[in-house]
């Protein structure tokens, strides 16, 4: 009884690949490179998108920043009561936060001041305040993100860190713990300490805050609340979560644009290989098709064999390319390529790309490569196989 | 029975360049006979073999084998006809040089997807018959001309065809190997196969087992 799958035909196809080892190797290398590049970029994109979305979701609905002559100034803490009086506002918090540039490592830390006895404006901070104590004023403590921890360790600050205050003196703050935030992008460069310590380091008076965040109970009322706040603070900057999301996406899209050049180059290379295949078979390949026809192979036998040949090369290359991309992105954290997307890494400590499995990405890369290559192999073979065998082998 | 009726074959290389390979050729070859087509290079001998094997189609006229008009067959039916009826020994053997002897001989069976046991039996039979079993795993390009020809003959016979066509079979062989090939032909004739040989080698013209010799000159049967 006949088997459905012709093992001999597959064996012959494998033999044909091995007989043309240099050509097969070249095609496989180009194919693997293309699959690897495309998949890596899609994996990085997915991971960063996931991170950005999580970061944006954790943001407050509205942020009010005081501006003078277009520059952001510290805002009066007393404004919180005025804002709470606005209908639709469920809560308002005065935040103290800022950036501290650590010259030795060449990175910026985001420092957030919290008060143990106040409600926190987001869950991640509330958890930290519940878990850790920030010590007394004379022996202050801080909780730091993973990236900060790495940067400090590299500079021999394993138990404490000396902040340089605005008057030039040092403020020693002990490391009480390392935390994981809601997302790595958000928490990696973060330091959480008491508001008191923050104010001392940055010389910020008790009556001032960096900005005020506003919570709105009903999200459909955000626009109304924003317009009310604009009336109260005509010269202030009122930022919504949506507008931050848009600006994040703009930065990300700009980074993606840079990649487009890389993407076009790899596609271009692939299509040159494809063009080379479509434009015809070598005289040796033509002769082989002619011989097969002359000894009784039908056109569909020849095409089946060519299909197996192309499918073996392309599927093998696709699997290797995707496997390498997974290792490159999630195991080695995509060195070089990642910097195209997170180009501000010189200012921010590094973060880990989270594993995001997206089956659509794998399908997209598959359909952009495997069927195109198979078609490019079969079409010229079909052209030769439909010629008179005598004409081909003469 | 093979019949060629008023066959004309014209190769048009381009509009200006036409070659009339066969001009109104009619020929009849009975089953089980050995026929030698003799003639100089370019006389049209190979074209006749090519038409009998359905490797090409006549410009006009008909090729009929066992009552079937094979010159009218579609490409796929022509392949099946060749696979089931024709064993072709080409002048340049037309083997796949980087494949082993075994794999070359098995090639016509590949699309049939036979059971491994059946295929191996057929393979063993032809390798034994044409004395090439000892080279089964050798790569064809490393074989001598005589050995390559025996591989080609074994391949042509693996499907046990009724008709054997040989195009200039001794052109690349020395006298000893040519005589050895003639012995093989004798053996094939004893199996009642119809054999058509296109050659200009005089060695074939006076062989006792050859039933007829037909001369072709400039595409016309003399």
């Amino acid at each position: 009884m006949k088997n459905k799958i012709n093992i001999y035909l597959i064996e012959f196809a494998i033999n044909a690949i091995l007989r043309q080892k240099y050509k097969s190797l070249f095609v496989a290398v180009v194919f693997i490179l293309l699959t690897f590049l495309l998949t890596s970029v899609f994996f990085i994109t997915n991971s960063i998108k996931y991170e950005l979305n999580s970061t944006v979701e954790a943001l407050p609905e509205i942020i009010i920043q005081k501006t003078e002559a277009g520059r952001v100034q510290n805002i009066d803490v007393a404004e919180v009561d005025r804002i709470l009086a606005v209908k639709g506002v469920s809560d308002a918090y005065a935040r103290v936060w800022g950036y501290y540039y650590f010259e030795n490592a060449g990175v910026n830390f985001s420092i957030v001041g919290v008060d143990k006895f106040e409600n926190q404006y987001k869950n991640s901070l509330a958890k930290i305040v519940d878990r850790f104590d920030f010590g007394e004023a004379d022996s202050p403590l801080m909780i730091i993100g993973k990236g900060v921890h790495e940067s400090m360790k590299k500079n021999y600050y394993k138990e404490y860190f000396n902040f340089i205050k605005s008057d030039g003196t040092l403020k020693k703050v002990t490391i009480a713990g390392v935390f994981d935030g809601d997302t790595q992008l958000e928490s990696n460069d973060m330091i959480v300490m008491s508001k008191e310590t923050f104010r001392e380091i940055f010389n910020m008076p008790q009556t001032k805050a960096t900005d005020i965040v506003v919570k709105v109970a009903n999200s459909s009322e955000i626009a109304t609340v924003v317009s009310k706040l604009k009336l109260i603070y005509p010269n202030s900057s009122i930022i919504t979560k949506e507008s931050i999301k848009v600006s994040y996406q703009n930065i990300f899209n700009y980074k993606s644009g840079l990649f487009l050049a890389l993407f076009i180059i790899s596609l271009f290379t692939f299509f040159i290989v494809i063009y080379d295949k479509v434009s015809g078979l070598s005289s040796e390949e033509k002769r082989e098709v002619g011989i097969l026809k002359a000894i009784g192979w039908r056109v569909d036998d020849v095409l089946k064999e060519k299909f197996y040949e192309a499918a073996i090369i392309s599927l093998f290359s696709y699997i290797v390319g995707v496997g390498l991309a997974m290792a490159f992105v999630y195991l080695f954290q995509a060195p070089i390529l990642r910097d195209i997307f997170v180009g501000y890494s010189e200012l921010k400590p590094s973060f880990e790309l989270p594993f995001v499995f997206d089956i659509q990405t794998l399908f997209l890369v598959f359909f952009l490569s495997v069927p195109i290559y198979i078609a490019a192999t079969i079409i010229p073979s079909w052209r030769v196989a439909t010629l008179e065998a005598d004409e081909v082998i003469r | 029975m093979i019949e060629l009726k008023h066959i004309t074959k014209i190769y048009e290389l381009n509009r200006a360049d036409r070659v009339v390979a066969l001009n109104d050729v009619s020929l009849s070859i009975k089953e089980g006979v050995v026929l030698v087509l003799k003639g100089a290079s370019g006389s049209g001998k190979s074209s006749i073999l090519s038409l009998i094997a359905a490797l090409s189609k006549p410009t006009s006229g008909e090729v009929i084998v066992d009552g079937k008009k094979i010159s009218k067959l579609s490409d796929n039916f022509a392949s099946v006809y060749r696979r089931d009826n024709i064993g072709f020994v080409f002048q340049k053997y037309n083997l796949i040089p980087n494949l082993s002897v075994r794999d070359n001989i098995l090639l016509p069976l590949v699309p049939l997807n036979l059971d491994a046991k059946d295929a191996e039996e057929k393979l063993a039979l032809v390798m034994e018959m044409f004395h090439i079993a000892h080279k089964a795993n050798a790569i064809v390009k490393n074989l001598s001309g005589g050995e390559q020809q025996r591989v080609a003959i074994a391949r042509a016979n693996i499907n046990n065809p009724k008709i054997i066509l040989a195009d200039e079979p001794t052109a690349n062989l020395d006298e000893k190997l040519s005589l050895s090939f003639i012995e093989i032909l004798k053996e094939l004739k004893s199996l009642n196969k119809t054999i058509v040989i296109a050659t200009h080698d005089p060695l074939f013209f006076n062989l006792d087992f050859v039933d007829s010799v037909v001369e072709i000159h400039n595409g016309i049967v003399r």
Side-chain angles (χ1 to χ4, degrees):
Chain A
M1 208 177 107
K2 272 190 175 183
N3 295 322
K4 274 186 181 173
I5 297 170
N6 189 338
I7 302 294
Y8 300 109
L9 213 52
I10 296 173
E11 197 184 318
F12 184 79
I14 295 169
N15 248 323
I17 292 169
L18 297 177
R19 272 185 282 129
Q20 304 175 62
K21 52 179 176 278
Y22 293 113
K23 189 183 172 188
S24 306
L25 193 69
F26 172 73
V27 170
V29 167
V30 171
F31 209 118
I32 288 169
L33 261 176
L34 174 89
T35 316
F36 166 74
L37 264 176
L38 279 180
T39 318
S40 296
V41 167
F42 283 130
F43 282 164
I44 296 169
T45 307
N46 289 341
S47 293
I48 294 176
K49 266 186 185 166
Y50 173 81
E51 281 282 309
L52 284 179
N53 283 336
S54 308
T55 305
V56 171
E57 285 315 310
L59 286 172
E61 278 102 9
I62 300 166
I63 300 167
I64 302 171
Q65 290 178 333
K66 184 183 173 188
T67 54
E68 274 176 24
R71 297 169 68 88
V72 177
Q73 304 291 323
N74 289 336
I75 195 166
D76 286 334
V77 176
E79 295 298 332
V80 168
D81 295 330
R82 221 174 140 194
I83 293 164
L84 281 171
V86 174
K87 277 189 180 174
V89 172
S90 62
D91 221 336
Y93 309 88
R95 298 197 301 186
V96 290
W97 63 275
Y99 295 117
Y100 181 87
Y101 184 64
F102 180 30
E103 205 170 341
N104 287 6
V107 294
N108 269 327
F109 300 143
S110 302
I111 303 185
V112 177
V114 291
D115 190 327
K116 198 171 172 60
F117 303 105
E118 278 178 3
N119 285 335
Q120 305 306 321
Y121 67 92
K122 63 178 181 179
N123 290 339
S124 56
L125 279 181
K127 279 181 205 164
I128 291 163
V129 172
D130 283 347
R131 272 177 65 193
F132 300 99
D133 191 354
F134 293 99
E136 300 299 321
D138 53 342
S139 58
L141 303 171
M142 63 181 172
I143 314 301
I144 60 176
K146 269 187 184 172
V148 177
H149 187 52
E150 290 300 314
S151 297
M152 285 183 175
K153 255 199 321 197
K154 274 184 197 162
N155 289 280
Y156 309 106
Y157 287 108
K158 290 176 184 169
E159 289 166 5
Y160 65 90
F161 185 77
N162 282 326
F163 289 94
I164 303 169
K165 295 196 289 187
S166 53
D167 61 3
T169 59
L170 296 178
K171 176 73 181 173
K172 180 182 169 184
V173 183
T174 306
I175 300 167
V178 180
F179 66 88
D180 297 314
D182 287 349
T183 71
Q184 289 220 33
L185 259 184
E186 181 204 11
S187 62
N188 212 36
D189 69 332
M190 196 187 273
I191 296 175
V192 179
M193 57 176 63
S194 70
K195 277 188 178 175
E196 207 178 1
T197 313
F198 180 94
R199 288 183 195 284
E200 191 185 339
I201 293 169
F202 292 100
N203 193 27
M204 184 188 274
Q206 292 284 344
T207 54
K208 295 286 183 185
T210 313
D211 53 27
I212 293 172
V213 298
V214 179
K215 278 195 171 179
V216 179
N218 183 354
S219 59
S220 58
E221 282 183 7
I222 291 172
T224 317
V225 172
V226 167
S227 57
K228 283 178 187 171
L229 291 172
K230 273 186 179 165
L231 286 174
I232 303 170
Y233 302 104
N235 293 324
S236 292
S237 163
I238 296 166
I239 306 157
T240 61
K241 189 198 271 187
E242 272 312 300
S243 59
I244 292 174
K245 202 172 185 174
V246 168
S247 62
Y248 270 171
Q249 277 169 350
N250 283 345
I251 292 171
F252 184 68
N253 290 341
Y254 162 70
K255 305 285 180 193
S256 302
L258 287 176
F259 168 71
L260 198 64
L262 192 66
F263 183 77
I264 289 168
I265 291 167
S266 43
L267 272 186
F268 189 66
T269 314
F270 183 63
F271 284 108
I272 285 174
V273 175
I274 295 300
Y275 175 77
D276 179 55
K277 290 215 73 137
V278 174
S279 56
L281 301 181
S282 66
S283 58
E284 199 182 321
E285 286 170 312
K286 277 183 191 168
R287 190 171 173 77
E288 193 170 306
V289 171
I291 293 170
L292 297 176
K293 286 283 302 292
I295 60 172
W297 285 40
R298 296 182 312 179
V299 175
D300 58 306
D301 296 324
V302 173
L303 296 187
K304 263 188 221 163
E305 189 274 320
K306 291 290 170 190
F307 170 83
Y308 288 139
E309 234 179 88
I312 290 166
I313 286 194
S314 55
L315 280 174
F316 166 80
S317 306
Y318 170 79
I319 291 166
V320 172
V322 169
L324 285 176
M326 275 196 175
F328 176 70
V329 175
Y330 298 122
L331 211 62
F332 300 106
Q333 291 295 303
I336 303 167
L337 248 187
R338 188 173 71 161
D339 294 343
I340 295 175
F341 294 95
V342 283
Y344 44 79
S345 61
E346 272 183 31
L347 297 175
K348 287 204 168 194
S350 60
F351 65 98
E352 276 187 19
L353 292 166
F355 180 76
V356 180
F357 184 76
D358 181 20
I359 194 85
Q360 278 179 318
T361 298
L362 298 180
F363 275 122
L364 180 69
V365 177
F366 180 87
F367 286 113
L368 269 177
S369 55
V370 175
I372 296 172
Y373 181 77
I374 291 176
T377 304
I378 286 179
I379 292 167
S381 305
W382 170 76
R383 279 193 203 143
V384 174
T386 49
L387 293 174
E388 277 191 349
D390 186 50
E391 194 182 325
V392 183
I393 55 174
R394 234 170 219 270
Chain B
M1 175 86 164
I2 303 167
E3 286 176 281
L4 279 75
K5 288 184 177 174
H6 305 289
I7 293 290
T8 297
K9 177 70 183 174
I10 300 169
Y11 293 101
E12 277 193 61
L13 304 174
N14 52 54
R15 279 184 187 177
D17 202 356
R18 294 168 84 236
V19 177
V20 181
L22 296 171
N23 191 2
D24 196 28
V25 169
S26 291
L27 201 63
S28 189
I29 307 162
K30 285 186 183 153
E31 199 177 317
V33 304
V34 176
L35 177 110
V36 172
L37 295 169
K38 74 171 188 180
S41 289
S43 58
K45 310 181 297 286
S46 299
S47 296
I48 291 180
L49 296 190
S50 177
L51 289 164
I52 296 171
L55 287 172
S56 65
K57 285 185 165 46
T59 310
S60 66
E62 280 180 346
V63 181
I64 301 167
V65 176
D66 293 337
K68 239 186 226 171
K69 288 182 185 173
I70 61 123
S71 48
K72 305 279 183 206
L73 292 176
S74 70
D75 196 81
N76 271 345
F77 282 109
S79 288
V80 175
Y81 156 77
R82 271 195 298 277
R83 194 175 65 202
D84 296 343
N85 299 283
I86 304 290
F88 206 129
V89 182
F90 298 92
Q91 183 180 349
K92 288 174 188 164
Y93 316 130
N94 279 341
L95 300 168
I96 296 181
N98 293 321
L99 277 185
S100 68
V101 166
R102 181 185 177 281
D103 290 341
N104 262 288
I105 298 172
L106 279 171
L107 271 181
L109 301 183
V110 168
L112 299 176
N113 200 14
L114 297 178
D115 284 341
K117 197 183 157 199
D118 291 350
E120 289 299 331
E121 272 175 15
K122 286 182 177 222
L123 176 72
L125 190 74
V126 289
M127 284 206 299
E128 198 60 42
M129 190 173 174
F130 301 107
H131 316 292
I132 199 72
H134 62 294
K135 294 278 183 179
N137 295 314
I139 298 299
V140 156
K141 68 178 177 188
N142 299 329
L143 300 181
S144 69
E147 287 169 331
Q148 287 195 23
Q149 192 185 51
R150 271 185 277 155
V151 177
I153 298 166
R155 186 184 66 184
N157 281 280
I158 190 129
N159 271 331
N160 193 23
K162 289 183 290 186
I163 302 164
I164 301 292
L165 307 173
D167 190 7
E168 299 286 5
T170 54
N172 301 312
L173 303 180
D174 58 26
E175 199 184 335
K176 192 184 163 197
L177 289 171
S178 298
L179 292 171
S180 158
F181 177 73
I182 286 166
E183 286 307 310
I184 289 171
L185 287 181
K186 246 189 206 176
E187 212 173 320
L188 289 171
K189 166 147 180 162
S190 70
L191 298 171
N192 199 36
K193 292 187 190 287
T194 308
I195 302 168
V196 184
I197 306 152
T199 183
H200 59 263
D201 187 345
L203 201 61
F204 287 89
F205 304 155
N206 297 308
L207 293 171
D208 55 355
F209 67 93
V210 170
D211 299 295
S212 60
V213 177
V214 173
E215 191 177 352
I216 315 273
H217 184 71
N218 285 342
I220 298 166
V221 175
R222 275 191 175 171

